[in-house]
Amino acid sequence: MDKTKREEAWRTLEAQLASDYRPLLKYRLFLRSLLWSNVQGVREQAWEHLPLYKRLSVKGIERTFSHRSERVRLTAWQNYTVCLELGIVNKAQLLRLKQHFWRLLRSYYPTVKKRAWRLVPSLVDHEIITSRDSERIINFLRYGRANVRIMAWYYSSYLLERRVLSREQLEDSLTYLRDLTNFESNISRKAKRILKSLES
């Protein structure tokens, strides 16, 4: 089913929900399965309709935050604020599930890794990531794979500003950033810019 037909199907569901939601109750398990579809378009469209899931009292959505598929798990974390607002998950649950988010930050897949790191400031703002996680962040600042390490350093100023990391912790790890400036790649250029901003 192409995107246009899927959108039409969702409109039909929304219309049914507005008139009488009870006929939809028997489809709850099927609807939940769409949230972890391997097809990105199907999965993302399903996540766009979380209020429908809430209205139908679909259970088990929190399981997507720890799903074995990194892409499914990433989609869940990208929608965590909506889940919080709707009461589908609460902060305590996300704190327990956070261990599954950390693995996304070192994903083998560049797109997954980059999109996961982009969520870090928001997770800090919502106090899902706090100073209690500083040791784990430091491990990323010192990570063996350069493409993971540079992502951590890219967000280091923000983490310092929000007191997730201390100035001392950053300074103790600067040698790992300086090491990246020796790479003959885009990583080196990024590392030099970050180093300059931290030292200014």
Side-chain angles (χ1 to χ4, degrees):
M1 185 184 294
D2 63 26
K3 182 178 180 181
T4 301
K5 290 182 178 179
R6 290 198 305 267
E7 288 174 346
E8 183 179 342
W10 280 110
R11 283 195 293 270
T12 300
L13 286 175
E14 294 285 0
Q16 180 64 57
L17 184 71
S19 60
D20 182 8
Y21 72 91
R22 287 170 296 182
L24 299 178
L25 294 176
K26 61 184 176 182
Y27 298 113
R28 285 185 291 189
L29 288 178
F30 170 73
L31 289 169
R32 188 182 69 180
S33 72
L34 298 179
L35 294 172
W36 49 69
S37 171
N38 289 326
V39 180
Q40 183 177 349
V42 171
R43 185 174 69 249
E44 291 182 347
Q45 278 185 309
W47 280 94
E48 290 171 3
H49 292 84
L50 282 177
L52 181 147
Y53 285 79
K54 176 66 175 179
R55 178 77 185 279
L56 294 176
S57 300
V58 176
K59 304 297 182 185
I61 296 175
E62 72 283 351
R63 289 162 48 194
T64 54
F65 287 85
S66 58
H67 198 277
R68 65 183 180 278
S69 165
E70 288 188 341
R71 289 181 172 88
V72 172
R73 201 183 329 147
L74 173 64
T75 305
W77 283 98
Q78 286 176 315
N79 288 277
Y80 85 92
T81 55
V82 180
C83 287
L84 282 173
E85 290 166 5
L86 293 173
I88 290 172
V89 295
N90 58 46
K91 185 176 175 181
Q93 286 175 302
L94 288 180
L95 288 170
R96 289 194 297 271
L97 291 162
K98 185 168 51 175
Q99 60 179 313
H100 302 285
F101 174 76
W102 297 125
R103 291 200 286 272
L104 295 173
L105 298 178
R106 52 181 170 82
S107 172
Y108 172 80
Y109 303 102
T111 300
V112 171
K113 181 171 63 256
K114 288 177 182 178
R115 291 180 178 176
W117 276 102
R118 287 176 192 150
L119 293 172
V120 167
S122 174
L123 288 166
V124 171
D125 291 344
H126 283 85
E127 298 182 335
I128 305 300
I129 294 177
T130 69
S131 59
R132 294 180 181 178
D133 300 305
S134 62
E135 286 303 318
R136 190 175 296 265
I137 298 294
I138 290 168
N139 287 338
F140 283 114
L141 294 175
R142 301 177 178 187
Y143 205 75
R145 280 165 47 202
N147 59 2
V148 173
R149 199 189 321 168
I150 194 64
M151 293 300 295
W153 279 102
Y154 181 81
Y155 290 96
S156 61
S157 292
Y158 184 83
L159 294 168
L160 178 64
E161 176 188 328
R162 296 307 303 270
R163 299 184 179 179
V164 173
L165 295 175
S166 68
R167 172 64 67 176
E168 291 73 22
Q169 287 173 315
L170 273 188
E171 289 176 351
D172 287 345
S173 299
L174 272 180
T175 183
Y176 294 88
L177 176 60
R178 292 192 180 99
D179 180 58
L180 294 177
T181 64
N182 297 320
F183 282 64
E184 293 181 4
S185 65
N186 189 41
I187 287 178
S188 174
R189 290 190 291 275
K190 289 180 180 178
K192 288 174 182 176
R193 287 197 298 269
I194 295 167
L195 185 61
K196 183 177 180 180
S197 68
L198 290 172
E199 292 181 335
S200 62

